[in-house]
C-alpha cells in the first residue's frame, strides 16, 4: 500500500480487490479458444503497426520510436493496470490533500477510514468500466512486476480480450475482422504518443494543472457536490440557469479547471477522432467487413446497454467521450480533405498547433490559423 505521512488517502489495494470481486465474468470460451484469441490479438497488434504508420505518415522512414509493450489482458488485468496509472498520476493531488488533513490521532483515523471508503468507491467504478473498454493505450503507466511498460515513463498498449469477444458476438460480426479493426484503433494511439515526443509531457502538464486547482476544502467540495446533485436531479433553485447537461464531474469544477478541461477535451477529441479516422481509412484494404462493423458498432455506441447504463454514462461524463469520437473524426476528415494527410500532420508540430475546442467544431478556423499563417 502507498502511504503518505503514515495514512492513506486512497487504499489502492482495496480498490483492486473490490473491482476484482465485483467484475462481471467474461464470455465463455474454452482454454484452447482463449489461447487462440490471445495469439491472434498479438498478431493483429503487430501487423497494425505497419498499416497505421504507412497511412498516417507520422513516423519518418528510418526512424524507430521507443518500443512499448502490448499486453492482452482480462478485466481484472485492466483494473490492475489502471490503478497503477492512477496511483502515479494522482500523487501530487493526494500529497496536497494529506497536507490539509487535520492533525492528531483523529486526523489519522479520518484518513484511514476515508482511504478505505475511497478505495471501495474507486473499485466499484473500475468494475463497471472494466467490462466496457476494448483497448487502451496507457500513457502514464509505470512498470510493475506483472505489467511491463516502456522505459523512461513510456506507455503500454492494452487489449481486453473478454470485452472484444463479447462485443464481436453481440454485434454478430466476423471475429478476425473485428479484432484487427480494434487493434488498428489502439495502434493509432500508440503511434500518436511514440511519434510525437512532446505529446505525453504536454498532456501530463495539463492534467497536473487541473489537479493543482482541485478544491480540497471538505465543506466547499460538499457544497459543490450538492449543487451538482441538484442539477442532475432537476432540483436547481428557482431562477438558476440549466448547466447544459454537464456531468457531475464537470459540475464540481472551478472556473479555472473548466478552462483546462476545454483544452484537454480538444486534445482528446483530436486523438480519438484521429484513431477512428485511421481505423476506417486503413480498414477497406485489410478488414473486408469494415463497413458492416462500423455501422453496427456506431449503433451500439449510440444506444448503450440499457437505461441504467445510459444513466451512468451521463453521470460519469462518458457521453462526452462518445461526442469526442464523433466531433474529432469530423475535424480530422475535414482537414485531410482540405489539406491532405501531410497538411493535417502539422497538428503534431507543437502544443500551439493543437486545435482548440472551438476549432474542433470549426476545422476551417484551425486551417486558417495554422496553415495560412505558416504559408505566409
Amino acid at each position: 500500500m502507498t502511504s503518505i505521512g503514515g495514512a492513506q488517502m486512497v487504499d489502492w489495494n482495496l480498490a483492486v480487490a473490490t473491482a476484482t470481486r465485483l467484475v462481471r465474468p467474461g464470455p465463455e470460451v474454452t482454454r484452447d479458444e482463449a489461447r487462440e484469441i490471445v495469439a491472434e490479438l498479438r498478431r493483429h497488434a503487430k501487423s497494425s503497426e505497419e498499416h497505421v504508420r504507412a497511412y498516417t505518415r507520422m513516423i519518418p522512414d528510418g526512424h524507430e520510436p521507443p518500443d512499448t509493450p502490448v499486453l492482452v489482458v482480462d478485466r481484472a488485468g485492466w483494473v490492475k493496470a489502471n490503478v497503477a496509472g492512477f496511483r502515479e498520476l494522482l500523487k501530487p493531488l493526494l500529497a496536497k490533500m494529506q497536507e490539509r488533513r487535520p492533525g492528531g490521532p483523529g486526523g489519522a483515523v479520518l484518513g484511514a477510514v476515508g482511504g478505505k471508503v475511497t478505495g471501495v468507491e474507486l473499485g466499484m467504478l473500475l468494475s463497471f468500466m472494466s467490462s466496457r473498454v476494448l483497448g487502451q493505450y496507457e500513457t502514464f503507466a509505470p512498470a510493475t512486476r506483472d505489467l511491463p511498460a516502456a522505459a523512461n515513463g513510456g506507455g503500454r498498449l492494452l487489449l481486453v480480450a473478454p470485452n472484444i469477444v463479447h462485443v464481436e458476438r453481440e454485434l454478430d460480426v466476423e471475429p478476425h475482422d473485428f479484432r484487427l479493426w480494434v487493434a488498428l484503433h489502439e495502434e493509432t494511439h500508440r503511434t500518436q504518443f511514440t511519434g510525437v515526443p512532446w505529446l505525453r509531457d504536454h498532456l501530463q502538464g495539463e492534467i497536473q494543472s487541473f489537479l493543482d486547482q482541485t478544491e480540497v476544502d471538505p465543506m466547499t467540495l460538499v457544497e459543490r457536490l450538492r449543487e451538482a446533485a441538484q442539477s442532475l436531479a432537476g432540483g436547481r433553485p428557482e431562477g438558476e440557469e440549466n448547466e447544459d447537461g454537464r456531468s457531475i464531474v464537470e459540475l464540481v469544477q472551478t472556473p479555472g479547471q473548466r478552462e483546462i478541461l476545454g483544452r484537454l477535451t480538444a486534445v482528446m477529441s483530436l486523438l480519438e477522432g484521429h484513431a477512428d479516422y485511421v481505423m476506417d481509412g486503413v480498414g477497406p484494404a485489410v478488414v473486408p467487413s469494415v463497413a458492416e462493423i462500423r455501422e453496427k458498432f456506431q449503433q451500439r455506441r449510440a444506444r448503450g446497454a440499457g437505461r441504467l447504463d445510459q444513466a451512468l454514462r451521463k453521470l460519469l461524463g462518458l457521453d462526452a467521450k462518445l461526442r469526442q469520437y464523433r466531433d474529432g473524426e469530423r475535424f480530422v476528415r475535414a482537414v485531410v480533405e482540405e489539406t491532405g494527410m501531410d497538411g493535417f500532420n502539422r497538428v503534431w508540430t507543437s502544443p500551439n498547433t493543437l486545435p482548440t475546442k472551438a476549432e474542433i467544431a470549426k476545422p476551417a478556423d484551425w486551417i486558417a490559423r495554422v496553415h495560412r499563417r505558416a504559408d505566409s
Side-chain angles (χ1 to χ4, degrees):
M1 292 186 180
T2 298
S3 67
I4 304 174
Q8 279 189 252
M9 304 304 293
V10 180
D11 189 331
W12 299 107
N13 286 356
L14 184 57
V16 172
T18 301
T20 303
R21 185 175 68 254
L22 296 177
V23 70
R24 297 177 182 178
E28 292 187 7
V29 296
T30 67
R31 189 179 298 273
D32 288 341
E33 286 175 327
R35 290 196 189 100
E36 292 174 2
I37 290 165
V38 170
E40 182 175 25
L41 288 172
R42 291 187 184 281
R43 290 196 303 272
H44 286 330
K46 183 62 178 176
S47 66
S48 294
E49 286 187 51
E50 180 181 349
H51 298 312
V52 170
R53 291 185 186 185
Y55 189 80
T56 63
R57 300 201 289 272
M58 290 181 63
I59 299 176
D61 292 338
H63 176 71
E64 192 62 29
D67 190 27
T68 53
V70 176
L71 307 181
V72 180
V73 298
D74 59 10
R75 291 168 178 173
W78 179 87
V79 168
K80 292 176 182 177
N82 276 266
V83 166
F86 284 149
R87 290 177 72 163
E88 187 71 19
L89 201 59
L90 294 178
K91 278 181 181 178
L93 175 61
L94 295 181
K96 181 180 176 182
M97 294 175 69
Q98 179 67 23
E99 291 174 0
R100 297 287 292 271
R101 181 172 61 81
V109 171
L110 179 63
V113 173
K116 292 188 179 299
V117 171
T118 306
V120 170
E121 291 174 341
L122 178 59
M124 294 173 66
L125 172 62
L126 289 170
S127 71
F128 171 78
M129 295 295 297
S130 67
S131 62
R132 285 156 174 78
V133 177
L134 301 182
Q136 175 183 357
Y137 183 76
E138 270 204 299
T139 315
F140 308 107
T144 67
R145 183 179 61 183
D146 300 325
L147 296 164
N152 301 320
R156 57 185 167 222
L157 193 152
L158 306 178
L159 295 172
V160 190
N163 295 349
I164 293 172
V165 173
H166 171 78
V167 174
E168 71 191 26
R169 290 178 179 178
E170 179 186 335
L171 298 182
D172 190 25
V173 294
E174 211 290 317
H176 306 294
D177 285 3
F178 184 75
R179 294 166 194 174
L180 176 55
W181 189 69
V182 171
L184 288 169
H185 182 101
E186 302 309 328
E187 177 57 36
T188 303
H189 286 318
R190 181 162 65 162
T191 299
Q192 290 163 349
F193 283 95
T194 57
V196 184
W198 54 264
L199 184 57
R200 178 185 181 277
D201 289 342
H202 172 70
L203 268 181
Q204 186 171 30
E206 290 280 55
I207 292 170
Q208 291 305 328
S209 295
F210 182 90
L211 294 177
D212 285 345
Q213 296 191 34
T214 297
E215 179 57 64
V216 294
D217 177 69
M219 294 306 297
T220 301
L221 185 58
V222 167
E223 179 62 21
R224 288 185 179 276
L225 287 169
R226 183 191 67 81
E227 294 171 357
Q230 284 183 339
S231 178
L232 289 171
R236 290 176 300 277
E238 186 175 356
E240 289 190 9
E241 295 183 359
N242 193 308
E243 290 281 1
D244 300 325
R246 294 191 184 116
S247 70
I248 195 169
V249 177
E250 294 172 294
L251 288 169
V252 298
Q253 293 161 4
T254 66
Q257 285 177 314
R258 288 177 184 167
E259 289 184 15
I260 299 170
L261 184 67
R263 296 195 297 270
L264 282 170
T265 298
V267 176
M268 298 311 297
S269 295
L270 170 70
L271 299 180
E272 296 293 0
H274 183 234
D276 264 13
Y277 178 83
V278 171
M279 72 194 297
D280 286 344
V282 174
V286 297
V287 182
S289 59
V290 64
E292 177 191 3
I293 291 173
R294 167 56 74 188
E295 181 180 359
K296 290 183 175 180
F297 194 76
Q298 290 286 60
Q299 291 172 356
R300 182 181 186 275
R301 269 183 182 172
R303 68 174 180 265
R307 298 179 70 177
L308 176 61
D309 184 77
Q310 291 173 359
L312 286 170
R313 289 195 321 185
K314 180 176 178 62
L315 182 68
L316 299 172
L318 300 183
D319 280 343
K321 184 170 179 63
L322 297 180
R323 290 194 295 272
Q324 288 174 5
Y325 287 101
R326 182 193 64 210
D327 297 344
E329 195 275 341
R330 288 175 180 170
F331 171 85
V332 175
R333 184 173 300 279
V335 173
V336 172
E337 288 178 353
E338 180 70 22
T339 69
M341 186 63 74
D342 292 333
F344 165 79
N345 281 339
R346 289 191 186 182
V347 78
W348 312 117
T349 304
S350 75
N352 292 330
T353 56
L354 291 172
T356 64
K357 189 175 180 180
E359 288 171 340
I360 288 287
K362 294 183 178 180
D365 290 352
W366 179 86
I367 294 172
R369 176 172 69 86
V370 174
H371 277 264
R372 292 173 189 169
R373 179 180 300 175
D375 293 343
S376 62

